[in-house]
Amino acid sequence: MRFHIMTLFPDMVISALSDSMIGRAREKGLIGIEAVNIRDFAFNKHNKVDDYTYGGGAGMLMQAEPVYLCYEDIIKRIRAMHPEETAEKKTRVIYLTPQGRVFDQKMAVELAAEEDLILLCGHYEGIDERVLEEIVTDNVSVGDYVLTGGEIPAMLIVDAVGRLIPGVLSNSESPQTESFGNGLLEYPQYSRPEVWHDRAVPQILLSGDHAKVDRWRFEQSLQRTNQRRPDLYEKYIKEHPENK
Ligand code: ADE
């Protein structure tokens, strides 16, 4: 899986994705991440990529041409490096915007099946609509709030999608048991010592009875989801009425 991030702040993106699990996965070659500077495709001598909006209004807009040239550069390289994978398929181009479909675990799983993903980070007041119409396949938001740019949302998506790529997590089972893996939040977990600040680990976890432990964990997941995310709980119970 290869991520291609179109951004005005490549250093910010690369430094955040060079550590921890995603950094290690990159080093091992399990995932590829490149940040391409849209400013390198500016067509004026000042490297300017923004301009005033037609019709007036506050703020500047990223212009269509540098964004398009940057996109073309990435697509050409993808096609040249992997002609067999990309011959018929259109590479998905995700524009990070508060106006998009809200990102969730289901979308992370869907995106993890792609060979290449292009993530387009906007800035200022946004990007000229015409280039968005021409290249974007998916508008994606990371939540109902407004950030200063698409970089943090892009990093979030690389993290959530990247960790689903086989070999990236050390424990290959975890994507199933963790929160959202089965539509529920994860159960509480405990490590040593057995008693900490007068709080004891639930006795059942020390029993060695795996069937009982599994049952307890499942009940905790249900309870926790009901308390913390009643919206998810309702959806789960509709699909699994036997667990009510
Ligand atoms: N850019 C600014 N705010 C955003 C959001 N909530 N999601 C995705 N991209 C954004």
Side-chain angles (χ1 to χ4, degrees):
M1 168 110 211
R2 298 168 292 266
F3 298 94
H4 312 265
I5 304 165
M6 300 170 63
T7 171
L8 291 175
F9 300 96
D11 294 345
M12 169 186 179
V13 172
I14 290 300
S15 71
L17 297 171
S18 295
D19 270 322
S20 189
M21 281 181 155
I22 296 296
R24 274 200 300 280
R26 270 184 88 195
E27 279 167 19
K28 284 197 216 159
L30 295 169
I31 57 176
I33 303 175
E34 66 161 351
V36 186
N37 195 343
I38 297 169
R39 203 176 293 284
D40 290 347
F41 300 87
F43 50 93
N44 54 65
K45 63 176 190 287
H46 305 292
N47 279 354
K48 223 168 79 72
V49 292
D50 60 323
D51 209 335
Y52 296 101
T53 51
Y54 281 115
M60 306 286 271
L61 207 62
M62 280 168 73
Q63 291 168 285
E65 186 66 1
V67 173
Y68 189 71
L69 294 176
C70 181
Y71 162 79
E72 272 197 328
D73 182 73
I74 294 171
I75 286 287
K76 261 190 217 144
R77 279 186 291 107
I78 292 175
R79 293 215 179 112
M81 276 171 68
H82 312 282
E84 69 297 342
E85 283 165 16
T86 49
E88 285 147 44
K89 234 177 111 194
K90 182 162 172 26
T91 301
R92 280 170 86 167
V93 180
I94 296 180
Y95 177 44
L96 288 316
T97 166
Q99 299 181 11
R101 173 179 156 205
V102 178
F103 184 70
D104 60 10
Q105 191 65 24
K106 189 167 157 253
M107 203 191 301
V109 170
E110 179 193 315
L111 295 178
E114 298 290 326
E115 287 296 336
D116 288 275
L117 265 190
I118 299 179
L119 297 159
L120 170 58
C121 306
H123 255 274
Y124 311 113
E125 289 302 303
I127 302 182
D128 189 307
E129 191 67 21
R130 293 167 295 184
V131 69
L132 298 177
E133 284 169 6
E134 210 154 308
I135 69 173
V136 171
T137 59
D138 303 78
N139 291 287
V140 176
S141 165
V142 297
D144 291 340
Y145 39 79
V146 180
L147 300 167
T148 55
E151 281 74 16
I152 291 174
M155 292 187 259
L156 183 152
I157 288 176
V158 171
D159 192 282
V161 174
R163 65 190 285 289
L164 297 176
I165 303 302
V168 172
L169 292 183
S170 46
N171 174 2
S172 60
E173 255 192 319
S174 12
Q176 271 69 53
T177 57
E178 71 193 2
S179 295
F180 307 116
N182 57 0
L184 293 172
L185 302 184
E186 196 176 22
Y187 46 79
Q189 302 204 76
Y190 305 86
S191 181
R192 285 194 286 188
E194 238 176 86
V195 180
W196 179 82
H197 283 203
D198 287 338
R199 297 163 188 271
V201 171
Q203 210 51 43
I204 200 159
L205 298 177
L206 312 174
S207 69
D209 184 334
H210 294 303
K212 267 195 183 152
V213 168
D214 285 351
R215 183 76 218 155
W216 181 86
R217 285 179 166 165
F218 180 62
E219 281 161 6
Q220 291 288 316
S221 270
L222 277 174
Q223 229 178 66
R224 185 163 271 208
T225 310
N226 191 13
Q227 278 165 0
R228 297 186 183 184
R229 289 292 305 271
D231 56 321
L232 289 181
Y233 180 77
E234 241 173 69
K235 190 163 169 253
Y236 182 85
I237 289 299
K238 247 188 212 151
E239 288 163 13
H240 305 86
E242 71 282 7
N243 288 317
K244 192 161 180 169

